[in-house]
Amino acid sequence: MNHHPRPIVQIYGIRSVKTARAVVDMGVKHIGVSYGKIHRTPGQLTCEQAKDIFENVQPHAVRVGLTVTSDLDEIRENLAIAMPDVLHLSGDIDEISPEEILSFKSEYPGLKILQPIPVLPNVPLGEQPVIDYVKRYEKAVDFFLTDTKAPGTTDIGATGIVHDFAIDKAIVETSNIPVIIAGGLTAENLQEAISIAQPYGVDSFSWTNYQDERANTLDCKDLDRVRAFVEAARHE
């Protein structure tokens, strides 16, 4: 997939309207909000909190809603209250088939799907199923997110662990849809990742959070780190 000359920036851990508007003013395009009626992950918002953010962020922002559940009825209940522009399916990729995603999308005209591709750290590309996932899922989804899958977990991402950028590059070159790269990206390693992978977008959660107890609050984003991340993404 042809990359953007300057990748778009997606920032996760948006937990308030104030933070959402602040990062969009910095140049963030995709704001990522984890929410649901059933509390499943740390920092997850209620559907009502997510709805407030989605309705009050700048209209040109792309609102991304993350779910870790694979229960489509539970997802439908969440969407009935808070509808994002893009739904991020962050649970076990094998639990929702491409065919199920296509059927689900038909119920929600205009809703786009972001599908993470789980990348294992310190495992060669040939020993991972990532390219097979790309080929199977690209007909059903609108974006891929390459993210680190911690060994022994089913959820994808939010690890803060870097994986091999050459695997990102292989995914970008194979995919016919836009690819956002993630997994331990920081302002310091971002230019290397972009130059190798040439992605559509770059994503941060862990390393643009405060690195203290504030990471567990509604104001978890360190706006200085977000600004540095955006500036690194724009660097030629």
Side-chain angles (χ1 to χ4, degrees):
M1 182 79 192
N2 289 336
H3 73 287
H4 259 217
R6 286 189 178 138
I8 67 101
V9 176
Q10 174 170 284
I11 296 291
Y12 257 98
I14 303 301
R15 298 175 187 166
S16 70
V17 172
K18 181 180 74 173
T19 300
R21 294 189 65 87
V23 302
V24 171
D25 279 344
M26 292 176 191
V28 171
K29 186 173 177 69
H30 286 205
I31 57 153
V33 179
S34 172
Y35 71 97
K37 293 177 77 170
I38 298 173
H39 190 82
R40 294 182 175 275
T41 55
Q44 180 182 305
L45 301 184
T46 66
C47 295
E48 290 74 17
Q49 288 172 308
K51 182 173 188 279
D52 188 37
I53 293 170
F54 291 162
E55 289 182 349
N56 290 290
V57 73
Q58 294 91 324
H60 61 274
V62 176
R63 302 162 301 173
V64 186
L66 178 145
T67 179
V68 298
T69 185
S70 300
D71 182 331
L72 292 176
D73 284 333
E74 183 180 329
I75 294 172
R76 287 183 183 98
E77 291 183 19
N78 295 337
L79 295 182
I81 300 171
M83 178 63 72
D85 300 305
V86 180
L87 176 65
H88 176 166
L89 298 172
S90 191
D92 187 336
I93 187 171
D94 294 313
E95 288 191 1
I96 306 179
S97 70
E99 293 71 27
E100 287 175 305
I101 292 173
L102 281 169
S103 175
F104 180 82
K105 277 178 74 177
S106 71
E107 302 171 31
Y108 299 97
L111 179 65
K112 295 182 176 179
I113 302 291
L114 185 155
Q115 175 62 61
I117 300 292
V119 179
L120 300 170
N122 306 313
V123 178
L125 176 62
E127 296 174 24
Q128 303 201 43
V130 293
I131 299 302
D132 180 54
Y133 281 134
V134 167
K135 291 176 177 174
R136 284 178 52 215
Y137 278 82
E138 67 182 356
K139 67 179 183 289
V141 304
D142 303 279
F143 302 93
F144 285 128
L145 178 79
T146 69
D147 210 347
T148 309
K149 183 175 185 291
T153 64
T154 56
D155 299 347
I156 307 166
T159 62
I161 300 170
V162 176
H163 56 254
D164 185 350
F165 299 142
I167 294 178
D168 292 335
K169 179 175 189 280
I171 292 170
V172 170
E173 291 177 347
T174 301
S175 174
N176 289 316
I177 62 173
V179 177
I180 299 169
I181 63 172
L185 297 179
T186 66
E188 290 70 38
N189 64 18
L190 192 57
Q191 289 170 29
E192 178 190 5
I194 292 169
S195 66
I196 292 171
Q198 304 283 298
Y200 167 78
V202 292
D203 170 284
S204 174
F205 169 63
S206 303
W207 293 107
T208 48
N209 283 346
Y210 286 114
Q211 303 300 302
D212 57 28
E213 67 279 354
R214 289 174 291 180
N216 301 315
T217 70
L218 292 180
D219 290 317
C220 66
K221 302 312 295 183
D222 182 333
L223 296 181
D224 289 335
R225 285 173 179 254
V226 175
R227 187 177 292 106
F229 190 84
V230 172
E231 289 173 358
R234 288 176 168 167
H235 184 79
E236 288 291 322

